[in-house]
Amino acid sequence: MIRLIASDIDGTLLQNGATEIPPEIFDHIHRLEKRGILFCPASGRQYTSLRRLFAPAADKVPFLCENGAVVYGPGSPGPILSKTVMDRRLSEELCAEILALPGVEVLISGADTSYLCPKAPDLEDQIRWFLGNRTAVLPAPADVPEDIIKVSAYCPQDLEKVRTALFPKWEQHFRCAVAGAVWLDFTLADKGLGVQKLCEALGVGLEEVMAFGDNYNDVSMLERVGRPYLMENAAPELRARFPVQCRTVAEILETL
C-alpha cells in the first residue's frame, strides 16, 4: 500500500520550461490526502520557494528541501523534522574554491535563506525572482549567521568543466550532485536520506513510498523507495537503471 508520494520538481513536475505546478496535481494532492496518502515535494529548492510554488496545498504537505538537507512537516510554517548540517570549515573552503572559478557563483543555504556573495550584479534578482528564494547578500561565506546545510555552484556557462574541477576533491567530504542544467550541489544529505528521515518521522515504511524523478540528484531517492518512477525523457544511463518510467506524474497519480 502507498502512504507517501515524493516527487522532484524541476524536470519532473515542471517540464518544458513550465513555472507553475499543473492544476490537476493539486486535485490529486487533496484527493489522496482524504485516503491517507501524503504528497511531498522533493527538491533542491528552498522551503519558501516550495511553499510559494505549492500555495494551494502548502499547509497540507511536508516538504523535502535543499536535496534532503532539511525536511519540514505540514503546517504554516511546518516544523523542521530533519536538518543535516555541513562542517563549517570545509563548507567555507568549498565556497572559496567556487568563488575563485571564473563565471561561477556560490549559493549557500541555511534552513530557509539563500546567502549570496555575488560577483555578477543581477545574481540576487535571479535567485529571488526566478527561483522565489528568500535571499541575503553577504561580504563573505564566513558571515553566514546560521548552520550551512547546502552549498551550490551556479554554472551558467560550462557546468561539466566546473564539475570536473570540483567533484574529485569534494566527493571525499560531501555528497556531490548535478542538480540541473546550471547547478551543482554539495551536501551531507541527499534526497534518499531526506525521504528516510521523513518516513521515520511519519511512521511510514520506505516500501510504502512512491517517488518520481528525472535527474542524478534523484537517484538516491528512487533507489530507496518501494515504487520508483523515472521520467521517460531522463538521461539514457538513468533509463537503464530505472526501467519503470512515465511521461508525467499526473498520469500515474490518476491510477491510485
Side-chain angles (χ1 to χ4, degrees):
M1 182 179 75
I2 297 300
R3 296 177 59 196
L4 176 67
I5 299 166
S7 179
D8 172 54
I9 308 303
D10 298 287
T12 301
L13 281 177
L14 297 180
Q15 297 183 3
N16 303 315
T19 58
E20 295 183 359
I21 301 298
E24 63 267 25
I25 293 297
F26 296 110
D27 295 336
H28 288 306
I29 289 173
H30 295 304
R31 175 180 63 83
L32 292 169
E33 182 198 13
K34 294 176 183 177
R35 297 184 54 196
I37 302 173
L38 272 180
F39 185 93
C40 177
S43 175
R45 295 190 185 214
Q46 179 195 83
Y47 182 58
T48 290
S49 172
L50 288 173
R51 282 192 63 89
R52 289 173 179 164
L53 195 60
F54 282 83
D59 295 344
K60 301 291 186 179
V61 301
F63 289 95
L64 190 157
C65 314
E66 308 290 4
N67 281 335
V70 60
V71 179
Y72 286 81
S76 182
I80 293 179
L81 302 179
S82 172
K83 184 171 76 167
T84 305
V85 178
M86 299 171 71
D87 179 87
R88 185 68 182 223
R89 180 187 63 80
L90 287 172
S91 298
E92 291 181 12
E93 183 181 341
L94 169 60
C95 291
E97 289 194 15
I98 292 171
L99 287 169
L101 295 170
V104 182
E105 300 276 7
V106 71
L107 185 152
I108 308 163
S109 297
D112 193 31
T113 302
S114 297
Y115 298 97
L116 308 170
C117 306
K119 295 186 281 186
D122 62 342
L123 179 66
E124 186 179 17
D125 285 343
Q126 291 183 50
I127 301 302
R128 180 182 294 170
W129 302 117
F130 292 118
L131 295 183
N133 283 19
R134 174 182 295 166
T135 61
V137 173
L138 300 175
D143 297 308
V144 172
E146 62 173 303
D147 291 332
I148 295 174
I149 62 172
K150 187 179 77 172
V151 174
S152 300
Y154 174 57
C155 321
Q157 297 178 354
D158 195 341
L159 180 137
E160 182 58 27
K161 182 178 180 180
V162 178
R163 187 194 70 79
T164 302
L166 294 175
F167 276 22
K169 173 181 177 179
W170 291 104
E171 283 174 335
Q172 303 173 52
H173 304 288
F174 301 128
R175 289 182 168 91
C176 306
V178 176
V182 295
W183 290 100
L184 301 175
D185 285 348
F186 304 82
T187 65
L188 276 178
D190 55 32
K191 290 186 181 181
L193 179 61
V195 165
Q196 178 180 322
K197 295 290 188 182
L198 177 60
C199 286
E200 290 171 359
L202 298 176
V204 172
L206 284 166
E207 72 280 1
E208 299 174 299
V209 181
M210 173 186 290
F212 299 87
D214 78 305
N215 212 330
Y216 291 94
N217 64 333
D218 300 316
V219 167
S220 61
M221 175 174 69
L222 296 175
E223 287 180 334
R224 292 200 189 193
V225 304
R227 198 183 300 182
Y229 286 87
L230 184 75
M231 294 298 104
E232 65 183 17
N233 60 352
E237 177 189 345
L238 294 179
R239 294 202 303 271
R241 293 176 67 177
F242 299 99
V244 181
Q245 297 162 21
C246 63
R247 186 178 59 86
T248 68
V249 174
E251 70 184 34
I252 302 301
L253 298 187
E254 288 171 1
T255 68
L256 296 178

